Amino acid sequence: MATKIGFIGLGIMGKPMVKNLLKAGHEVYAYDIVQEYIEDVTRAGAVACSSVAEIASNCSLIVTMLPNGPDVKDVVCGKDGLLEHLSAGSTIIDMSSIEPIVAQEIYATCVAKSVYMLDAPVSGGEPKAIDGTLSIMVGGDATVFNSVKHILLDMGASVVHCGDIGAGNTAKLANQIIVALNIAAVSEAFMLSTRAGVNPSLVFDAIKGGLAGSTVMNAKVPMILDGNFNPGFKVDLHIKDLLNALNTGHNVGAPLPLTVAIMEILQNVRAHGMGQNDHSAIATYYERLTGTEIRD
Ligand code: NAD
């Protein structure tokens, strides 16, 4: 069923997600602070909007895909934000990766204005955003979830209701810990083989079908072997996610010693000017340690 959808945040992820909603027959009103990104999705059939208020006055179902909690708070609860303009009964689906507790705070402000909200972060990165095969993890009221599930499935291959508001982002934090540590493990292991004189490309071929193989290995090792660290998922965003994971871990009494270690590796990568590069640049930390590149 075609629906009118407002979409705010047209970055690496937002742009292809909008295009998949258009492909599925929805009418999409789009806004970003970067004009060029609005023009990109307009060429694919979206309606350009020049403010959050214009989105809210045209649509009662809004998707946000923004960098972090403060951005979502600003767009939803801030001056001239969504809640100043949306009618009661509207629904906001925040698909950004933010701290669960911040999702809960924004939800409470929405409820006070009779606006529904779900947190629905995604995993899969730009390739799966383009293919419309994202994994989407959702928190919030089950009735609201069921009313929009079909729209989420137009952007994703899997949509799982994980629990109350914030549960989607809790699942996403778990995902981000695993992804970061997996890239570090792959980098460490492939540096070992390189230094030992065994071609890392052949090691990849030899082990990817075994127990060590993973989606992360398949996606990131070819980038590392090519020395291609174009994003993808930016180091700065992964640092943001791990900071959210550490805050959440401290709040709920879950020690995260490995997350601390990979956070410091990512800080090193950022300090070397690679904050806007893909998180596969974790490999460059090992390359600096040894003075050796992991290449085919
Ligand atoms: P991005 O930085 O490419 O895009 C964010 C967009 O939000 C930018 O275009 C920016 O201009 C826009 N924006 C910021 N503030 C705004 C405001 N006040 N009003 C309107 N637009 C505003 O980031 P991304 O990679 O698309 O990621 C978006 C979210 O999805 C993040 O929370 C990220 O952690 C998460 N995520 C990203 C990936 C990935 O592989 N890139 C994968 C899964 C999840």
Side-chain angles (χ1 to χ4, degrees):
M1 190 181 59
T3 306
K4 195 196 268 194
I5 301 166
F7 203 108
I8 303 174
L10 308 170
I12 289 176
M13 298 298 282
K15 278 195 283 292
M17 290 162 76
V18 165
K19 288 172 190 170
N20 283 324
L21 290 173
L22 290 166
K23 261 189 228 153
H26 301 295
E27 193 182 350
V28 184
Y29 287 66
Y31 172 67
D32 194 289
I33 47 178
V34 180
Q35 181 61 28
E36 183 192 326
Y37 298 167
I38 301 178
E39 284 157 15
D40 183 283
V41 295
T42 308
R43 282 193 292 277
V47 179
C49 290
S50 57
S51 66
V52 168
E54 194 181 340
I55 293 270
S57 56
N58 279 289
C59 308
S60 57
L61 176 63
I62 318 283
V63 175
T64 49
M65 193 54 170
L66 298 160
N68 198 6
D71 309 297
V72 181
K73 240 184 190 169
D74 186 42
V75 162
V76 176
C77 316
K79 187 168 159 23
D80 251 335
L82 287 172
L83 289 179
E84 279 191 13
H85 300 277
L86 280 177
S87 8
S90 299
T91 300
I92 298 170
I93 309 174
D94 178 39
M95 302 189 75
S96 328
S97 305
I98 71 173
E99 219 179 313
I101 199 166
V102 176
Q104 288 158 359
E105 285 164 15
I106 298 170
Y107 170 82
T109 316
C110 289
V111 167
K113 297 258 185 179
S114 304
V115 168
Y116 303 112
M117 180 194 161
L118 299 171
D119 67 316
V122 309
S123 175
E126 189 186 20
K128 293 199 173 202
I130 292 171
D131 293 349
T133 56
L134 291 166
S135 297
I136 305 178
M137 39 218 103
V138 189
D141 182 82
T143 312
V144 180
F145 168 73
N146 286 324
S147 72
V148 299
K149 187 177 175 188
H150 64 288
I151 291 169
L152 296 174
L153 280 168
D154 289 330
M155 297 178 277
S158 121
V159 178
V160 177
H161 184 224
C162 299
D164 292 339
I165 190 76
N169 274 295
T170 301
K172 175 66 184 178
L173 292 180
N175 182 83
Q176 291 307 82
I177 291 171
I178 294 165
V179 169
L181 288 169
N182 206 334
I183 298 173
V186 159
S187 302
E188 194 164 304
F190 282 72
M191 178 54 78
L192 169 78
S193 86
T194 303
R195 293 283 293 184
V198 181
N199 183 325
S201 182
L202 296 177
V203 175
F204 179 42
D205 286 343
I207 70 175
K208 66 185 176 194
L211 192 55
S214 67
T215 311
V216 169
M217 185 185 284
N218 289 341
K220 300 302 172 183
V221 167
M223 294 180 74
I224 295 169
L225 293 175
D226 282 351
N228 164 21
F229 302 117
N230 295 329
F233 188 70
K234 294 171 197 154
V235 166
D236 283 343
L237 284 178
H238 216 139
I239 286 175
K240 173 265 301 185
D241 285 337
L242 296 186
L243 190 59
N244 289 343
L246 291 168
N247 286 339
T248 305
H250 296 162
N251 286 339
V252 301
L256 303 173
L258 294 177
T259 306
V260 171
I262 182 58
M263 171 63 121
E264 293 309 308
I265 291 175
L266 281 162
Q267 294 291 336
N268 173 283
V269 174
R270 174 154 75 181
H272 282 82
M274 300 190 84
Q276 290 294 301
N277 286 100
D278 190 74
H279 53 174
S280 53
I282 286 170
T284 66
Y285 168 78
Y286 289 91
E287 294 179 347
R288 279 188 293 279
L289 285 183
T290 58
T292 307
E293 289 187 332
I294 305 167
R295 296 291 179 273
D296 202 353

